[in-house]
Every structure is written in C-alpha cells, then in structure tokens.
Amino acid sequence: MICFQKKWISDNAYPLFLCLIFSFFSKISYSQDSWTFDKSEHGAYQKILSLKIVDANLELSRDRNATKYLLHLKSSIEMLISDNELALDAYDKNTDQVLTHFKKQKENSPYLKFYTAEILLQSAFVHLKLGHEMSASWELRKAYKEIKRNMKSYPDFLPQYKTIGLLHIIIGSVPDKYNWLLSILGMEGSVREGMQLLSTLANSKNLFSQEAQLLTLLMKAYILDEARESVAGLRQLYEDDDQNILIGYLYVSVLMKNHNNATALKTLQSIKKINNSEYIPFPLLAYVESEALLQKGDYNEAIGSYQQFIKNHLGQNYLKDANYKIGLAYFILNQTEVTEEYFQTARGIGTTLTEVDQHASKQLDINEYPNRLIMKARLLTDGGYYDDALRILENIRPTQLTKKIDHVEHHYRKARVYHKTNQINMAIAFYKLTINSGEKNGWYFAPNASLQLGYIYRAEQNSYLAEKYFNKALSYKDHEYKNSIDNKAKLGLDSLPKN
C-alpha cells in the first residue's frame, strides 16, 4: 500500500493533523441539527481545540451525530499525543462503532460522508504514528473515496476542501516510483492542487476560512519550505489566543523549523505558566524544549528536560532520539563514559518510525563519535545562533578534521551559516565544495547542498541553474533524507516559470 509515506506522516503530518481539529461549527444552509454543533458541543469543541480536558460523561454524553464525531476526535487527539500502543485496541473498537453508526444514517447531509472521511483520516494518522502502515493505508484510501463522493454530491460544501486538500498534498508527496501503485488504487492528487483547494476555503467568507488559513500556513512550513510566512501567521494566531496549548505548540514547532530558537524558548516558558491541570498531558512539549535547549548550548538543562520527557512519555516514538541526544549532550560536555551508557540505551529502546529516530539509529550504527566541534556548530546553526556557529567553524584547524565526512560536513555547515546570514556568494562557493567533495559517499550533504543551490538560483531568477540543481538533488540515490529532499526538489521544479 502507501506505507512508504510513514516518515512524512510521522514528522510532518502529525502537526498538520492536529490542525484538522479546527473545524465544524458554522451553520451551513443545508445542514441538519443532529449534525451541526449546538451550544454545549461548541463549548466542548473549543476545549478540545485548546487541548483542555473534556468531561465526556457530562459535556459529550448525548446520542447525536455531532457528539459522536467529537468523541472520536477527542480520542484521536489523545492517542496522537500519548503515542500509547496499549490503548489502540479500544480506540479501534470505538472507530468501528462510530463508522457503523454513520453507515446506518440515511439523511441527505453533506456532513455524513464528510465526518466519515475525517474519522477515517484521523484513524489513519493514529495507525501511521504507531507503525501500522497497512491498515492506515487502507483507511487513507477509504477516506479519499468518501470525500470524493461527497464532493460529487455536494460540490459547494466548502469545509470538505480541507479534507480533500490535505489528501491531495499527501498523495502528491509520494515518490514518483510509487505512482503506479496510486494509479491501481484509484488515487491521484498533487501538492499544487491541494494548496489551491485549501486556498479556496481560506479566501472565502465561510466561517471555516480561518482554519484553512492555519492549515495552509503549516503546509508552507512543512512542505513548501516557506517557513517565514508561516511563522508570521502563527505568531498572530498565538497572540490572539495565548492560552491555546495546541496553537502554542504549532507556533513553537515552526519557529524551531525556521531556526528561531530564542523566540521558541520564550514561548515555551509562557506555555509552561498555563495551569496544566486543566489540559491533556502533553509530554512532547518537554521534548521540543529539550531540542531548543540543546541547540542553544544549555546542555545540562537539555539533559534534564529530555529525562523528563522520557519519564512521562507513554509511547515509543522519540525515545531513541531522546536517549541519543542525552548521550550527545554528555559527549559535548566531555563525559564520554556517560555518553556510552545513553548510546547503549538508545540502541535498544524505541522505534525508528520518525525521521529523528531513524537519524539517531543511523548515527548509533556508525559506532563512532562525531566531530565534537562540528556537532556544536550544527546544533547552534539549527537554533539560529549563527555568529556562534560560524566562530566555531572558522576556528577549526584542518588537523581537527580526522575523517573525510568531517571535511565534507565542515564545508556544508559553513554553507548553511553563510546562506542563513545572507552571504550568498560564500554560500554558493561552499555548497559547491560540498557537492564536489561528498557527492559519491551516500551522505545527505551533497543532495541538500544541490537543493539549496536550486533555491538560491530560483531567488535570483536564474531558472536554468535552478532547474539544474533541483534535478541534481533528485539524482542522488539512497541517502537518509531522500524522500524529503526529493519532494522539495520536485516542488522547486514545479515552481519555476514554464517555457
């Protein structure tokens, strides 16, 4: 099936799925009372949006279609946040019961197949996050079929553009070599079409337009590599509702993706001041704070934060990476004995479903320590501390680069800092050095250097060189970020002016 998309789902679509909950409370002209939210359901829904605890026995206890949808939405979010495999059987039984109930409904409402598709999509995300790719693939296919039927019956029902738009983007992100399988399954879509569907809703006067706008902002950050615009939009949403932990988490995630660690840490401190007793436990906040502290260079604080995450997290995702990062922090602190203890723990714990866990696993398999100075510079660059990173990189002596990978990565890290600080000529020179020295070794440095050169030349409106380097990025085989880099390169090519 389409289980090859599990990495994209785990690392990118998880935050995007959390945005799927922003919907379903406007009064559509042809809706029916049982399907739309009443005052009580609307209140419970608003709590769910903020990740607040909802008393299902009190607030969601009635036998209404909208209530049944909300209960499933609530359990889906809890599953995604807890990452708890032990709760999956009960979750699956609940999904089957709700879908069976909707299947028996005979009302002519656009919400019927809309809710059905959303529930299937929610369940698919839960299964993908827990590593059950085959069942998730069938659910994605069924969700696609349901929402396509609904669009045929109710073409003017704008809220469904969110669902079909996201499905188009997921399908459009599938590597080209699997297109034959999508054809057999009767599924087609493109990122461009998905974004157009979302934009149609976002630019409408429909009450769902703000939700579509939010989802579009996240797509820009996670799919289109347009994080700055995403940061600006999410900042406004967070400032409008700073008690909403979900929006706060999404804002922090995009800030960190855009190398804005300082603002991310400040926002996390504000989120931590919220009365947590009113909210669903969210250990992933400790994980992202750990990442931010590690990138800042506060290694002891990062260690404590990772340990807090490990203690409170019920699932298996991110455990391998968290233990690896603790070991890495101790390594940078020159405490190699403790480093090895955590590296050994990391080798035997958790899964490799997420991209960060896969990266940790690959580094652990190498079974040798990275270059300490380059690692410090890399983390500082990831956090946006460019002056500190460049100072380290420029002071590294050739004798401190003992392996070929160190020489290649040294070029690459310099290129990244120069690019981020708008020293474009220097960035181009070091990206090309990276390609020339490392393109035959299977590392991701040369492929991403090619991608970044494509972006630079596109910005300079040099379509010939932009096309050359986007295609070059696509030409590399079997590196650890191939799906991600290939998707971005394809979108880059698609964005160039057509002759």
Side-chain angles (χ1 to χ4, degrees), residues 295-310:
Q295 292 171 6
K296 185 182 177 184
D298 291 344
Y299 303 117
N300 286 310
E301 291 85 349
I303 289 168
S305 186
Y306 279 122
Q307 289 172 336
Q308 178 188 351
F309 166 72
I310 293 168

Side-chain angles (χ1 to χ4, degrees), residues 376-394:
K376 287 181 68 174
R378 172 185 179 174
L379 292 169
L380 288 165
T381 303
D382 289 344
Y385 307 102
Y386 303 128
D387 291 342
D388 294 335
L390 188 58
R391 191 177 304 113
I392 291 172
L393 291 168
E394 289 182 336

Side-chain angles (χ1 to χ4, degrees), residues 150-297:
N150 207 50
M151 290 191 71
K152 184 175 181 179
S153 300
Y154 303 98
D156 298 326
F157 185 60
L158 283 177
Q160 67 193 331
Y161 282 23
K162 174 180 65 68
T163 315
I164 190 63
L166 180 59
L167 283 166
H168 270 292
I169 291 168
I170 294 173
I171 294 165
S173 299
V174 171
D176 289 339
K177 64 181 179 179
Y178 294 110
N179 283 342
W180 64 271
L181 183 55
L182 292 175
S183 179
I184 291 174
L185 295 173
M187 299 170 67
E188 59 182 9
S190 70
V191 173
R192 181 186 289 266
E193 185 173 357
M195 291 298 293
Q196 288 175 344
L197 287 164
L198 291 175
S199 295
T200 298
L201 178 55
N203 295 326
S204 73
K205 295 182 179 180
N206 188 283
L207 291 180
F208 296 95
S209 60
Q210 185 181 26
E211 289 79 358
Q213 179 187 7
L214 175 63
L215 193 54
T216 301
L217 288 171
L218 288 165
M219 290 297 175
K220 287 179 179 293
Y222 285 92
I223 304 299
L224 301 179
D225 203 43
E226 299 174 6
R228 289 186 180 180
E229 183 177 344
S230 179
V231 166
L234 284 166
R235 180 192 302 118
Q236 186 61 57
L237 290 171
Y238 177 69
E239 289 175 353
D240 291 342
D241 188 5
D242 62 4
Q243 298 297 298
N244 190 314
I245 288 182
L246 174 60
I247 292 179
Y249 165 74
L250 294 170
Y251 177 43
V252 167
S253 298
V254 175
L255 280 168
M256 293 181 66
K257 185 172 180 62
N258 200 39
H259 309 279
N260 195 340
N261 226 45
T263 305
L265 280 168
K266 183 178 179 181
T267 306
L268 283 165
Q269 292 305 310
S270 297
I271 293 173
K272 288 169 70 174
K273 293 177 182 177
I274 298 173
N275 183 2
N276 288 333
S277 64
E278 299 178 3
Y279 292 81
I280 300 168
F282 199 5
L284 203 58
L285 284 171
Y287 175 82
V288 296
E289 184 176 20
S290 308
E291 295 280 279
L293 290 168
L294 183 68
Q295 292 171 6
K296 185 182 177 184

Side-chain angles (χ1 to χ4, degrees), residues 35 65 68 96-108 112-113 116:
W35 296 98
N65 291 319
K68 291 182 185 299
D96 290 342
Q97 289 172 358
V98 178
L99 289 174
T100 298
H101 169 81
F102 284 146
K103 190 174 182 180
K104 293 177 180 178
Q105 303 305 301
K106 304 299 182 183
E107 299 176 66
N108 294 322
L112 176 55
K113 285 184 169 55
T116 299

Side-chain angles (χ1 to χ4, degrees), residues 161 329 399 406:
Y161 282 23
T399 55
D406 294 342

Side-chain angles (χ1 to χ4, degrees), residues 257-456:
K257 185 172 180 62
N258 200 39
H259 309 279
N260 195 340
N261 226 45
T263 305
L265 280 168
K266 183 178 179 181
T267 306
L268 283 165
Q269 292 305 310
S270 297
I271 293 173
K272 288 169 70 174
K273 293 177 182 177
I274 298 173
N275 183 2
N276 288 333
S277 64
E278 299 178 3
Y279 292 81
I280 300 168
F282 199 5
L284 203 58
L285 284 171
Y287 175 82
V288 296
E289 184 176 20
S290 308
E291 295 280 279
L293 290 168
L294 183 68
Q295 292 171 6
K296 185 182 177 184
D298 291 344
Y299 303 117
N300 286 310
E301 291 85 349
I303 289 168
S305 186
Y306 279 122
Q307 289 172 336
Q308 178 188 351
F309 166 72
I310 293 168
K311 178 181 177 181
N312 295 326
H313 187 49
L314 297 175
Q316 293 297 305
N317 290 320
Y318 305 103
L319 289 183
K320 187 178 294 294
D321 181 67
N323 280 278
Y324 168 69
K325 295 283 181 56
I326 292 174
L328 199 60
Y330 278 120
F331 169 68
I332 294 173
L333 292 170
N334 290 306
Q335 299 183 41
T336 53
E337 184 176 333
V338 188
T339 292
E340 194 51 45
E341 291 178 11
Y342 276 96
F343 279 6
Q344 192 60 34
T345 299
R347 290 186 181 99
I349 199 171
T351 66
T352 55
L353 296 174
T354 69
E355 196 165 82
V356 291
D357 287 321
Q358 290 176 359
H359 177 75
S361 180
K362 183 170 183 177
Q363 297 307 304
L364 291 163
D365 286 344
I366 294 172
N367 204 28
E368 58 183 32
Y369 295 140
N371 183 289
R372 185 178 280 109
L373 292 173
I374 292 179
M375 179 56 69
K376 287 181 68 174
R378 172 185 179 174
L379 292 169
L380 288 165
T381 303
D382 289 344
Y385 307 102
Y386 303 128
D387 291 342
D388 294 335
L390 188 58
R391 191 177 304 113
I392 291 172
L393 291 168
E394 289 182 336
N395 288 329
I396 292 176
R397 299 185 302 274
T399 55
Q400 294 174 294
L401 303 173
T402 58
K403 302 185 292 289
K404 181 174 183 180
I405 191 173
D406 294 342
H407 287 277
V408 176
E409 186 171 5
H410 188 233
H411 296 323
Y412 175 76
R413 297 299 166 197
K414 277 191 170 182
R416 296 298 291 141
V417 175
Y418 288 133
H419 194 175
K420 289 296 181 181
T421 54
N422 207 34
Q423 300 179 66
I424 300 303
N425 290 335
M426 292 291 286
I428 290 172
F430 276 93
Y431 279 137
K432 290 181 177 179
L433 274 174
T434 301
I435 294 169
N436 293 336
S437 60
E439 65 180 347
K440 296 181 180 179
N441 296 95
W443 305 316
Y444 73 91
F445 307 123
N448 202 47
S450 301
L451 176 68
Q452 298 303 321
L453 284 170
Y455 288 145
I456 288 172

